[in-house]
Amino acid sequence: MLAAVMTMAMALASPAGAAIDTAGFRFQIVTADDTGLTRRIAEDLTKRLVPIFGGFRTELAQQRRMVYVAIGPVALRTLAARKCDCVVIAAYTSSQVWRSITSTVPAARLLSMTAIYAEPAPADQLRLVSLLYKRPVKVAAIVSGETGFLRPVLSGPGTVEVAEYVEGTDINNVLNRVGRSQVLLAMPDRTVYNTENFRNILLSTYRHNQGVIGFSADMVKAGALASTYSDIQHINAHVADVAADFVLTGDLAPPQFPRYFSTIVNEGVARSLQVAVDDSVRKFGRQPVVKTQ
């Protein structure tokens, strides 16, 4: 039930659970907890959204169509189950979890829902590989039945070799199949990259002299070579962009990977793999434009 989650809308000016509903805008930020991190996300996002919805003077605004921003999977699941003529923008949820939660949502309802995925865009990750190695290298990725939908985004120039892992089987079998690739592109697949498998993945890639391109900063700190990553400011800026476009046009952008990001490198792993890291790698990113008031 929606009442079971913490709702925030212009949190500094109105009580939790109250939606902003003045002449210009109507939106609500929905979260599943009240931790310090969640409050930081919600407060920063509110500051970005208030100016956007404050200038909302279209026919859509006059109808007061609620725009919900779901922070995390639990909030998204709650809103996906709610029957309303509303718009949902999800953030801080992976593409795999988004697909799982929305798989039973009616097609007509899904047209009013979108997401900024939590994980890096594969295209940006592959560009990072090029910057790291500075020569053509073989890249492999492991997917399960839950992430097979990502195959299309791994195709194109410099096609990635995709190997499928079946849950419950020995992860070493699939790791040996991709052992000839210089790089393993990790995807946020809980079937593949779980606690039980992760140690074997790191050991196998070290043995094969493979660099792992992780899907989070924490994964790089744990032993992956490098990754692009999006922090709170990156994700919230992208959410605000999508909201602003919707306010302006009435059209909702499709679910997408983060537009803004920075790069993190495990310098020790890079040295052990004899990968030279320069400023083109360290500074690789795309930052939101700071808008003056």
Side-chain angles (χ1 to χ4, degrees):
M1 295 177 60
L2 190 60
V5 300
M6 170 184 167
T7 57
M8 292 181 119
M10 201 174 179
L12 300 181
S14 63
I20 298 302
D21 189 9
T22 61
F25 54 88
R26 191 169 189 240
F27 74 90
Q28 202 166 51
I29 298 173
V30 181
T31 69
D33 59 66
D34 192 21
T35 64
L37 177 60
T38 299
R39 282 191 169 275
R40 279 178 52 208
I41 291 171
E43 289 171 5
D44 177 79
L45 192 52
T46 298
K47 291 175 183 177
R48 296 173 188 272
L49 293 179
V50 166
I52 294 170
F53 284 82
F56 203 170
R57 292 293 186 271
T58 66
E59 182 180 347
L60 201 59
Q62 295 167 10
Q63 294 174 357
R64 298 292 195 277
R65 193 179 187 193
M66 176 68 79
V67 176
Y68 289 109
V69 181
I71 305 302
V74 175
L76 172 59
R77 187 174 289 108
T78 298
L79 291 173
R82 193 178 193 200
K83 295 180 180 179
C84 63
D85 180 25
C86 55
V87 170
V88 175
I89 303 174
Y92 303 94
T93 298
S94 72
S95 60
Q96 178 188 2
V97 174
W98 159 265
R99 188 178 177 89
S100 174
I101 291 174
T102 60
S103 61
T104 58
V105 174
R109 176 77 179 95
L110 201 53
L111 293 175
S112 296
M113 300 178 66
T114 192
I116 307 302
Y117 299 140
E119 77 266 27
D124 294 329
Q125 297 282 69
L126 292 174
R127 175 59 181 155
L128 175 58
V129 171
S130 297
L131 292 172
L132 282 164
Y133 286 86
K134 298 178 176 57
R135 68 182 190 280
V137 293
K138 291 182 179 180
V139 181
I142 302 172
V143 300
S144 70
E146 294 190 24
T147 49
F149 68 92
L150 290 171
R151 287 176 181 268
V153 301
L154 298 174
S155 61
T159 301
V160 177
E161 176 191 356
V162 179
E164 187 158 354
Y165 169 70
V166 178
E167 186 174 8
T169 61
D170 188 349
I171 188 66
N172 291 298
N173 292 334
V174 70
L175 288 170
N176 288 334
R177 291 206 303 272
V178 300
R180 293 184 178 180
S181 298
Q182 287 94 348
V183 175
L184 177 63
L185 176 60
M187 313 295 286
D189 188 326
R190 57 195 171 190
T191 301
V192 179
Y193 295 95
N194 54 45
T195 303
E196 183 178 345
N197 286 341
F198 189 60
R199 176 177 170 78
N200 282 341
I201 291 170
L202 286 181
L203 289 174
S204 176
T205 53
Y206 283 148
R207 186 169 63 251
H208 291 119
N209 203 39
Q210 289 175 303
V212 178
I213 301 300
F215 49 80
S216 69
D218 285 343
M219 195 170 179
V220 175
K221 295 173 185 176
L225 169 59
S227 179
T228 63
Y229 70 95
S230 298
D231 60 20
I232 291 173
Q233 286 69 36
H234 292 136
I235 296 293
N236 284 1
H238 196 172
V239 170
D241 287 349
V242 170
D245 288 343
F246 174 70
V247 164
L248 182 64
T249 67
D251 295 326
L252 191 63
Q256 54 199 270
F257 293 99
R259 179 178 296 162
Y260 308 116
F261 63 91
S262 296
T263 292
I264 182 172
V265 180
N266 188 317
E267 302 278 354
V269 172
R271 285 192 295 272
S272 69
L273 293 173
Q274 297 184 327
V275 174
V277 179
D278 57 26
D279 282 348
S280 70
V281 174
R282 297 185 183 96
K283 295 180 180 180
F284 178 53
R286 191 179 303 117
Q287 307 302 323
V289 176
V290 178
K291 299 176 182 178
T292 57
Q293 299 297 326

